[in-house]
Amino acid sequence: EILLTQSPGTLSLSPGERASLSCRASQSVSSSDLAWYQQKPGQAPRLLIYGASSRATGIPDRFSGSGSGTDFTLTISRLEPEDFAVYYCQQHGSPITFGPGTKVDIK
Amino acid sequence: EVQLVESGGGLVQPGGSLRLSCAASGFTFSSYWMSWVRQAPGKGLEWVANIKQDGSEKYYVDSVKGRFTISRDNAKNSLYLQMNSLRAEDTAVYYCAREYYSSSGRTFDIWGQGTMVTVSS
């Protein structure tokens, strides 16, 4: 089973700042199997990035994904008020696993 | 509109059973792998099980093997999760999710709103 570790656990930033979220895997993950989701309280997760770097339909270009192997990054170039949420990485191997999440909150 | 709507959650005693349903609309249900993903209160996401388009392949997370059964009815555009021998640690919101496979990757692109399952005496 591939374990995913996300850091930091919480990121406190102000609107307009840049956010960099890390996802590290216990073993190499195919880039095509790495995705990022956003979840707000009381809502279902929302797909942001798939294939490590492809934005999902309707996702603003301030969201970008990068990385390969065991190290992946989600970057939000300039935080908007609606971006404060929890972010999860996920790998689609067998079994499918999620990281524990990074909470981005308002400083 | 592409949509997934879960139902069937509720309060059940430890050792009891519950059957969750997920109604799909707005897309060709029979063309997609489908999954159940759960989230315990205040915790992260955990994949539970998935099923191939024709139901011929099914996979489960170790913690539910032998207790949960995933199934589908393509004629009814519906996904199911039969949960037996329920434990307190199965308490969670259960989401139905569509698996999207492309040349760029595999992912969960559509999610339902979730249904809450509480296992308690």
Side-chain angles (χ1 to χ4, degrees):
Chain A
E1 173 176 330
I2 297 176
L3 300 178
L4 299 177
T5 303
Q6 291 186 242
S7 61
T10 302
L11 194 54
S12 296
L13 295 168
S14 301
E17 289 193 296
R18 180 185 185 90
S20 289
L21 286 65
S22 173
C23 176
R24 289 189 170 170
S26 60
Q27 55 188 281
S28 186
V29 172
S30 169
S31 293
S32 63
D33 282 349
L34 197 287
W36 291 92
Y37 302 86
Q38 177 193 68
Q39 188 178 36
K40 297 178 181 178
Q43 296 185 16
R46 173 195 182 198
L47 176 64
L48 297 175
I49 301 288
Y50 65 99
S53 60
S54 297
R55 269 188 304 276
T57 303
I59 301 304
D61 60 8
R62 64 179 181 274
F63 291 92
S64 63
S66 63
S68 63
T70 59
D71 290 319
F72 298 89
T73 300
L74 174 70
T75 301
I76 310 171
S77 59
R78 291 182 324 278
L79 283 163
E80 296 288 340
E82 61 269 27
D83 298 337
F84 292 92
V86 179
Y87 293 84
Y88 295 95
C89 61
Q90 173 251 327
Q91 65 83 27
H92 221 89
S94 184
I96 294 166
T97 55
F98 289 86
T102 290
K103 182 178 182 179
V104 179
D105 66 12
I106 300 176
K107 187 174 182 180
Chain B
E1 180 190 3
V2 175
Q3 198 172 10
L4 297 170
V5 179
E6 301 93 337
S7 60
L11 175 63
V12 61
Q13 292 187 341
S17 298
L18 211 54
R19 189 195 196 207
L20 305 184
S21 299
C22 170
S25 59
F27 65 98
T28 305
F29 179 72
S30 59
S31 295
Y32 292 87
W33 280 78
M34 296 295 297
S35 271
W36 288 99
V37 177
R38 67 184 178 183
Q39 186 170 35
K43 303 297 183 183
L45 301 166
E46 180 184 38
W47 170 78
V48 174
N50 66 354
I51 185 169
K52 193 177 179 179
Q53 290 92 330
D54 62 0
S56 61
E57 294 181 36
K58 305 174 185 182
Y59 301 94
Y60 301 90
V61 69
D62 284 348
S63 59
V64 308
K65 284 180 182 175
R67 300 189 299 123
F68 290 12
T69 302
I70 189 171
S71 62
R72 65 192 297 163
D73 185 335
N74 288 340
K76 295 183 177 180
N77 292 330
S78 293
L79 177 71
Y80 306 102
L81 186 67
Q82 177 67 44
M83 304 185 295
N84 298 330
S85 302
L86 283 161
R87 306 167 180 167
E89 54 265 36
D90 296 318
T91 294
V93 174
Y94 284 73
Y95 295 102
C96 165
R98 186 178 83 170
E99 296 191 33
Y100 173 68
Y101 285 31
S102 74
S103 57
S104 299
R106 303 187 288 175
T107 188
F108 298 116
D109 66 334
I110 303 295
W111 296 68
Q113 85 289 348
T115 187
M116 183 70 203
V117 172
T118 302
V119 184
S120 175
S121 55

